[in-house]
Every structure is written in C-alpha cells, then in structure tokens.
Amino acid sequence: KRFSEAIIYLDKILEQEPDNLKALTNKAGLLAQLGNFSKSIMLSNKVLEIDPDRVSALTNKAIALKMLKKYEESHQVFQQTILCMKFMF
C-alpha cells in the first residue's frame, strides 16, 4: 500500500526510459488506486498509442473511466479488453 513511494521509483525509471510501457502501465494503475483517474487515463492512452492491445493498460483505463462515471466509455474499453484477451489464448 505504499503507492506514492512506488510512483517515485517509477518516475525515476521513466526519466531514463520515457516510453517504458511496463513502468507507464504500473504508474497508471497506481494513480487510479490513489484516485487520480484523469492522469491514469492519460498514461494508459500513452501506452495504448504504442501497444493498443496491452490488456493491463486497457484494464487501468476502463476502471478509471468507470470511477469517473463514464460508464459507456468504460464499457467499450472493457469490451476491447475482452477481445484482446480472447486472442491471447
């Protein structure tokens, strides 16, 4: 539950590697946990520009949209997540 501390470490990684998809996705998830849903969506979108089928980024985005009561958008992103997962197996 040391989300703020984890974000500090992720920021250090992102200073060196600004397009590190794992760090960006993890930071987006942590920001959602902290209630910063808009920033979480922004980072998730950055990841999805590079890797549109990244399930973790899609999930982060869908959850953040849900928390912002953007239910239709959230539903669409969850549907996209499910489609991506179907092709993984």
Side-chain angles (χ1 to χ4, degrees), residues 1-9 29-35:
K1 298 279 180 180
R2 295 165 44 185
F3 300 141
S4 297
E5 186 177 329
I7 287 174
I8 292 169
Y9 289 109
L30 291 171
L31 288 168
Q33 291 286 325
L34 292 169

Side-chain angles (χ1 to χ4, degrees), residues 23 42 57 72-73 82-84:
M42 185 192 77
E72 185 61 35
E73 279 183 78
I82 291 167
L83 287 173
C84 288

Side-chain angles (χ1 to χ4, degrees), residues 12-73:
K12 289 180 182 183
I13 293 168
L14 291 168
E15 284 177 18
Q16 299 295 315
E17 303 173 52
D19 291 329
N20 182 313
L21 298 183
K22 187 172 184 177
L24 288 166
T25 302
N26 287 338
K27 184 174 178 180
L30 291 171
L31 288 168
Q33 291 286 325
L34 292 169
N36 193 340
F37 305 117
S38 296
K39 180 78 172 177
S40 177
I41 292 167
M42 185 192 77
L43 288 178
S44 295
N45 284 337
K46 181 174 181 175
V47 172
L48 294 168
E49 285 176 16
I50 299 166
D51 183 1
D53 296 329
R54 193 173 194 93
V55 171
S56 53
L58 288 165
T59 303
N60 288 337
K61 181 178 179 178
I63 291 168
L65 286 166
K66 177 185 173 276
M67 298 306 293
L68 290 173
K69 299 183 185 334
K70 296 183 178 187
Y71 299 119
E72 185 61 35
E73 279 183 78

